[in-house]
Amino acid sequence: MAVIAEPVTKPVSRLHFMLDRREVLENILIAPAIIYVLLLVGLPLLLAMYYSVSAYTIYNPTWQFVGLANFTQIIDNPNFLQTLGNTFIFTFGSQLLGLVLGKFGAFLLLRPFPGRKIVRALIILPFAVPVALATIAWQWMFDSLYSVINWTLIAASIVTREDAPNWLGNPYLAMLCVIIINAWRFFPFAIVIFLAGITAIPQDIIDAATVDGAGFWRRNYQIILPMILPIVAIGLIFGIVFTFTDLSIVFLLTMGGPVGATSVLGFAGFQTGIVSGDVSHGAAISLFMLPVLLVVVIITLRFIRRREI
């Protein structure tokens, strides 16, 4: 009579048992993201705080504690106050324009028309094109001699050749140019946000409002916009953070000119800390972004929480 041997169960390793626990597995999976943030965000922030309270320069790399003297000197500089104001104008002006363009673009793409799928695919190009190439193209469009905008205005007899605007030579027009370019880069992102929010609204709500006699504007501003406001606010946070710390458009288009009219905090910190070699003052300028962005994020998140309640 044959005897059937019972299968021998292998002992479960301690590591396998730990990975079966949800809290352990969650910590392991999120650890790379935490390490990434600490190395690429936390460490530079600590270095900036370290240099901002010192007299460190590339010409005199010895560390000497000076306290808040760098911040006091920066605040007393009228050029810094102009740069701070330019940063607010550049950030909120471009975000407002980008949101307006994104909203109307989203409503346009929701309507059926020939080639809508192609337009939806092409609308993302401003967000995908490298900023250097896009800014150089815009620079030719705003050129004082070869501007296609000026040539169009002259051909339409709106302005004369003598009165054609010098887009990058006038302080107000130069700021308008950098705002337009940044809004052009941001509005595809805004379109995606609005499309996601509008399509998530149940169609029954829109149909009920239409039956009750609500027209396009009432449906838009009393029903749709309040319902998608938390989603728009989250996108606005990302837009403000990226724009407030951005220096690429100003660096490539105007170099902060004319006469500092388009200089922003990111560009000023780069020019002071990297180009001029005054690392301590450059770090102090860059740290001015932190409290401003922190206040904006806190206010926006509290607004979203209230809307959800």
Side-chain angles (χ1 to χ4, degrees):
M1 183 175 180
V3 179
I4 302 175
E6 297 182 356
V8 180
T9 57
K10 295 182 179 180
V12 180
S13 64
R14 185 178 180 84
L15 177 61
H16 188 273
F17 175 73
M18 291 178 61
L19 292 179
D20 285 338
R21 298 175 59 184
R22 180 176 178 179
E23 59 273 12
V24 175
L25 185 61
E26 288 176 349
N27 293 332
I28 293 176
L29 293 178
I30 203 173
I34 296 176
I35 295 173
Y36 175 84
V37 172
L38 290 177
L39 291 179
L40 295 184
V41 178
L43 183 59
L45 177 62
L46 293 177
L47 287 176
M49 297 173 63
Y50 172 80
Y51 288 130
S52 65
V53 294
S54 70
Y56 188 93
T57 65
I58 61 174
Y59 310 106
N60 183 20
T62 57
W63 192 87
Q64 179 183 356
F65 180 76
V66 296
L68 300 178
N70 293 328
F71 296 94
T72 304
Q73 294 171 5
I74 290 171
I75 294 175
D76 292 338
N77 188 350
N79 293 330
F80 172 77
L81 298 179
Q82 180 187 8
T83 299
L84 186 61
N86 292 340
T87 307
F88 279 102
I89 295 173
F90 170 63
T91 301
F92 292 102
S94 60
Q95 293 305 301
L96 179 61
L97 181 59
L99 285 176
V100 172
L101 293 175
K103 182 181 178 184
F104 285 100
F107 278 112
L108 180 63
L109 291 178
L110 285 173
R111 293 180 173 272
F113 59 89
R116 185 177 65 167
K117 293 183 179 180
I118 299 177
V119 174
R120 281 189 172 186
L122 295 178
I123 206 70
I124 203 68
L125 285 180
F127 196 72
V129 171
V131 60
L133 297 179
T135 306
I136 291 175
W138 279 99
Q139 187 176 27
W140 278 102
M141 294 174 65
F142 290 128
D143 188 83
S144 58
L145 295 178
Y146 307 105
S147 172
V148 66
I149 301 175
N150 286 353
W151 280 93
T152 303
L153 295 176
I154 293 171
S157 300
I158 298 176
V159 298
T160 62
R161 192 178 303 275
E162 293 76 15
D163 297 331
N166 185 4
W167 296 101
L168 301 180
N170 184 290
Y172 300 103
L173 293 179
M175 175 57 72
L176 179 62
C177 290
V178 295
I179 288 175
I180 290 174
I181 296 174
N182 195 72
W184 174 81
R185 289 182 59 205
F186 173 72
F187 94 93
F189 180 64
I191 287 179
V192 173
I193 293 174
F194 278 107
L195 283 175
I198 295 172
T199 54
I201 298 176
Q203 187 62 34
D204 296 342
I205 298 178
I206 308 297
D207 295 339
T210 305
V211 171
D212 290 339
F216 172 78
W217 295 106
R218 292 194 63 183
R219 291 198 308 267
N220 183 21
Y221 290 102
Q222 295 185 6
I223 299 174
I224 296 177
L225 189 59
M227 294 184 69
I228 67 173
L229 211 51
I231 301 176
V232 175
I234 293 294
L236 189 60
I237 288 177
F238 284 98
I240 290 175
V241 170
F242 290 139
T243 304
F244 203 86
T245 58
D246 185 60
L247 62 93
S248 54
I249 294 177
V250 172
F251 179 80
L252 295 168
L253 189 69
T254 63
M255 289 295 292
V259 200
T262 58
S263 178
V264 293
L265 284 180
F267 176 78
F270 173 79
Q271 288 291 108
T272 303
I274 305 300
V275 178
S276 300
D278 191 353
V279 180
S280 58
H281 285 86
I285 293 174
S286 300
L287 284 178
F288 269 92
M289 304 178 191
L290 184 60
V292 176
L293 294 176
L294 187 62
V295 169
V296 171
V297 171
I298 290 175
I299 292 175
T300 308
L301 291 178
R302 292 189 64 179
F303 169 77
I304 295 173
R305 186 176 301 173
R306 289 181 180 179
R307 295 293 304 183
E308 291 178 347
I309 292 174

